[in-house]
Amino acid sequence: MGDNLFIILLSSILVNNFVMNKFLGCCPFLGVSKKVSTAMGMGLAVTFVMGVASLVTYFIQVYLLDTLKLGYLQTIAFILVIAVLVQLVEMVIKRMSPSLYKALGVYLPLITTNCAVLGVTILNITEGYSLLGSVVNGIGSALGFTLAIVLFAGVRERLEDSKIPKAFQGFPSTLIAAGLMSMAFLGFQGLI
């Protein structure tokens, strides 16, 4: 049975959003979402890494790990692939946009250990997606991450200019906004 690519894409962006539904990738979500421009840069970096990692890890799983019966090395192999891709992204961003590189700070190398990136590569295998289905799920999941982080950055920018009681200023209001946004994403549950 072939993968329904549209269902995979829509599901990974809205219904099974890694940040809002599975609560994976919360570290960069909370850390890099102070400005929309920075959030967009992080989202694009994660999209590249997740898309290419989904492609490469599919081949590693099917043609190397499964063939040699080394499935127990899946996590280590996938993390190595992700680490290489993140280094590539880091070098490109540092060269092309030093201001974005500086704004992303420590969160850019942390994409390597972002559980959402590793989670999507493992989910592609456990769900039995084809090569194309894996790539679509990886890109869709990254677009869902980007959607969530950019929307949240917009909310946080608005919170900066709002009058908030002193007890809720800073991180408490951030967590309340994240919780409300997560509840809003629950509205997509019946979609697919």
Side-chain angles (χ1 to χ4, degrees), residues 60-75:
I60 287 175
Q61 181 70 40
V62 172
Y63 296 109
L64 185 67
L65 298 178
D66 288 347
T67 303
L68 299 175
K69 297 185 182 356
L70 297 173
Y72 59 90
L73 293 175
Q74 181 187 59
T75 303

Side-chain angles (χ1 to χ4, degrees), residues 5 8-9 14 21 28 32 38 48 51 57-58 66 75 118 136 148-149 151 171 176 184-186:
L5 300 179
I8 292 172
L9 182 67
L14 298 175
N21 185 303
V32 187
T38 307
F48 174 79
T57 57
Y58 179 86
D66 288 347
T75 303
L118 179 61
V136 167
I149 197 171
L151 288 174
F171 207 60
I176 291 169
F185 268 78
L186 282 175

Side-chain angles (χ1 to χ4, degrees), residues 2-131:
D3 297 333
N4 186 332
L5 300 179
F6 178 73
I7 297 295
I8 292 172
L9 182 67
L10 192 61
S11 172
S12 59
I13 293 172
L14 298 175
V15 179
N16 297 316
N17 187 290
F18 269 89
V19 178
M20 295 291 123
N21 185 303
K22 298 179 188 296
F23 306 111
L24 296 174
C26 290
C27 179
F29 176 73
L30 292 172
V32 187
S33 60
K34 291 182 181 175
K35 295 185 183 228
V36 172
S37 59
T38 307
M40 184 59 90
M42 175 58 92
L44 293 175
V46 168
T47 300
F48 174 79
V49 171
M50 268 194 194
V52 176
S54 293
L55 177 72
V56 173
T57 57
Y58 179 86
F59 284 115
I60 287 175
Q61 181 70 40
V62 172
Y63 296 109
L64 185 67
L65 298 178
D66 288 347
T67 303
L68 299 175
K69 297 185 182 356
L70 297 173
Y72 59 90
L73 293 175
Q74 181 187 59
T75 303
I76 294 169
F78 287 11
I79 288 175
L80 288 173
V81 168
I82 294 165
V84 168
L85 292 172
V86 169
Q87 287 300 309
L88 177 67
V89 167
E90 192 173 3
M91 289 187 302
V92 168
I93 290 176
K94 188 174 185 178
R95 181 138 179 120
M96 302 294 272
S97 179
S99 60
L100 177 60
Y101 177 79
K102 188 175 180 179
L104 292 175
V106 71
Y107 294 101
L108 186 57
L110 284 179
I111 294 174
T112 302
T113 57
N114 184 340
C115 51
V117 179
L118 179 61
V120 78
T121 58
I122 292 174
L123 184 72
N124 289 337
I125 303 305
T126 58
E127 290 292 321
Y129 290 140
S130 66
L131 174 63

